Structure formats: C-alpha cells, structure tokens
Amino acid sequence: MNNYHTHTYRCMHAFGSDEEYVKAAIKAGIKELGFSDHTPWPYDNFKSHMRMEENQLTEYIESLVYLKDKYSNKICIKIGLECEYFPDYIPWLKETYEKNKLDFLILGIHFYPTDQNVKYMHAKPMDENTFNNYLLACIKGMETGMFEYLAHPDLFLRFVPKMDKKYQDASIKIIKKAKSLDLPLEYNLNSLYYKSNGFHNPSDEFWKLVADYNAPTIIGFDAHSPQFLTERELYINSKKYLKNLGIKPLKKLELKS
Ligand SMILES: [Zn+2]
Ligand SMILES: [Zn+2]
C-alpha cells in the first residue's frame, strides 16, 4: 500500500506532527508515503487560512527530509505539494518545484483563478460560473504536465445526487483528458469517509465513467490526521469497489526522483 496524499498541521486544518504521520504509515504497512500539503502561493498582501505561508516551505521540506532519512529503512518518503491551477502563479510553482527539488506535485482544484478573496468552490452547490471554472482548471491544470495526478476529480459532484447531461459531459471531458495524458484520477478516501454527511462524492456515476473510458486511477487517503492513514479497511474496500467496476488502481507512482 502506498499513499501520496498526506497533509500536515501547516495547512491549519490537519493535525499531528510530521513524525506521527510517518509512524502511522509504517504501522499501517504503507511502503511509500508522499506528503502533499497545500502549497503556499506568493501573495502580495493576503493570508490564506488553509495553507502554509510561503516562508514555511523551507521548514516543511527540511522536516520531511529529516524524517525521510531517519526512517529510510522502514518507509520511502516523497516530498510534494497539493496545488490548484492558478494561471498567474504557475511560473512561481515551476520554479519552486525545481529549486527545492520536490519529488512530485498533485493537482487539486479548490479555488480558481486564485484564492485571494475568492470563495472555496465546494462549500455549496455550484453556480454556473464556478462549474465552468472547475472544469477549466482541471483541464488546464492537467495540460501543464506538472502534476502526477488529479486529486478528487469528482469533488464538483459533492452536491449532485444524480448527474444531468451537463455534469456527465464535464465528467467525460475530465476523464478523457486524464486518459489521453495517462494521468491518474484519484479515488479520494477522505471524501469517502465523509460521504455520509449528505455529500455525493466519490460519485458512483463518475467512477463508472472512469471504468468505461479505462482511465488511470489511484487511491489517495488525503490524510488530515496520522490516524487516518491506519484506515486500512477503507483502502481495501475501495480497491474492491473499483475492481468490481473493472478498475485496477495504480499501486505506485513512477516519480523521477
Ligand atoms: Zn484537496
Ligand atoms: Zn488534500
């Protein structure tokens, strides 16, 4: 079992120390653990409440490098970030990725085209504009070639109990793009865990389409607590669920570093 979607306390809505995540992952039998906390962005004059600040990035990386070394005989740690597609900041992200020799980036669309005084997209049913932005950000983000996979692609279906044609077409566009780029779509366990709260993602309809188009898939915990990494049942049941649909999730990302 591997997982590339792990947050840290720095995003202010995840809990536990970095080391506790590593220990929990080892306990759970995870062989490769990717940290992908919410990326900072180079704002001029804005403070986000759901991500680290730009000046925390070095410490985040140093802490993980230390743990990577300390636990190298028990687990393989990869250092990454979860990023939105913010067009104006893509050059900064590219530079940050290269300068810090990060192992990987994942794409997760929460805001567009920035989060400076822009509302979180998934707090309530989407209006037309938000819907269009979500679709655009997924497609354009995947097309950059910078990301290893698309996290929670079906998050836009959170408040959609049954897809109409508009949602179906958007789903197919995302899935076809992922397929053509050979970029995995993430079956998100954190969403699954909270699905009972009246949310509709992961969406059965969406994942049936993923199976129809035979698009690459990966399971991600999206852990916001160390404890969550030990939810082995959730992982195993999801694997079975996907298998029943005819989807064989990718076990491991082939990272350059
Ligand atoms: Zn996310
Ligand atoms: Zn996440």
Side-chain angles (χ1 to χ4, degrees):
M1 190 165 64
N2 299 312
N3 173 54
Y4 300 91
H5 198 162
T6 315
H7 290 279
T8 79
Y9 68 89
R10 295 170 191 79
C11 69
M12 297 171 278
H13 59 279
F15 309 92
S17 70
D18 300 346
E19 189 155 14
E20 283 169 331
Y21 282 91
V22 174
K23 284 182 173 169
I26 294 168
K27 195 172 133 197
I30 290 173
K31 297 275 176 274
E32 191 157 278
L33 178 68
F35 279 88
S36 44
D37 205 3
H38 293 287
T39 187
W41 295 110
Y43 306 120
D44 284 332
N45 185 20
F46 176 75
K47 192 174 166 6
S48 160
H49 296 288
M50 52 79 65
R51 57 180 84 251
M52 68 180 91
E53 293 198 45
E54 200 184 346
N55 62 17
Q56 286 178 281
L57 186 61
T58 305
E59 182 274 327
Y60 165 73
I61 296 167
E62 282 171 1
S63 167
L64 300 180
V65 167
Y66 166 77
L67 294 169
K68 181 178 183 147
D69 184 52
K70 182 172 176 183
Y71 291 96
S72 62
N73 60 344
K74 295 203 170 87
I75 193 164
C76 179
I77 293 176
K78 298 287 181 188
I79 306 171
L81 291 166
E82 178 181 12
C83 318
E84 289 81 5
Y85 174 71
F86 291 167
D88 289 350
Y89 291 155
I90 286 292
W92 175 89
L93 183 62
K94 217 170 214 157
E95 196 189 303
T96 300
Y97 169 76
E98 283 163 11
K99 198 172 76 192
N100 293 287
K101 299 189 173 62
L102 294 175
D103 295 318
F104 73 108
L105 301 173
I106 61 173
L107 179 65
I109 307 301
H110 315 102
F111 300 89
Y112 185 83
T114 169
D115 58 348
Q116 293 171 76
N117 307 314
V118 171
K119 287 208 173 80
Y120 177 63
M121 288 176 140
H122 310 291
K124 58 179 175 58
M126 284 184 168
D127 57 36
E128 198 65 20
N129 189 40
T130 311
F131 170 86
N132 290 331
N133 282 343
Y134 183 84
L135 179 58
L136 180 114
C138 283
I139 302 289
K140 293 278 182 199
M142 285 193 272
E143 284 175 346
T144 62
M146 292 168 65
F147 303 102
E148 291 299 326
Y149 75 63
L150 175 60
H152 44 66
D154 51 344
L155 189 50
F156 76 123
L157 300 167
R158 182 180 247 184
F159 299 103
V160 181
K162 180 115 187 58
M163 281 193 206
D164 59 12
K165 185 158 171 10
K166 181 179 97 170
Y167 279 99
Q168 205 170 26
D169 287 349
S171 298
I172 291 171
K173 274 187 188 147
I174 292 169
I175 292 164
K176 276 187 162 173
K177 181 55 78 178
K179 169 82 181 165
S180 73
L181 296 170
D182 195 24
L183 185 141
L185 298 169
E186 180 203 60
Y187 190 78
N188 188 282
L189 298 186
N190 188 47
S191 305
L192 183 67
Y193 194 77
Y194 289 106
K195 196 175 174 179
S196 53
N197 291 352
F199 294 158
H200 300 284
N201 62 300
S203 154
D204 291 331
E205 290 175 287
F206 183 89
W207 289 97
K208 273 179 197 139
L209 287 169
V210 173
D212 288 347
Y213 286 89
N214 192 26
T217 298
I218 188 162
I219 299 175
F221 275 93
D222 197 359
H224 287 75
S225 72
Q227 181 62 30
F228 195 61
L229 291 173
T230 64
E231 296 280 349
R232 215 186 146 79
E233 288 276 287
L234 208 59
Y235 185 95
I236 291 167
N237 290 339
S238 300
K239 219 171 127 183
K240 277 187 202 151
Y241 164 82
L242 292 170
K243 195 182 167 201
N244 280 338
L245 292 178
I247 297 171
K248 197 167 177 289
L250 215 72
K251 285 201 181 91
K252 198 166 182 283
L253 288 178
E254 292 309 324
L255 303 176
K256 285 133 273 186
S257 46

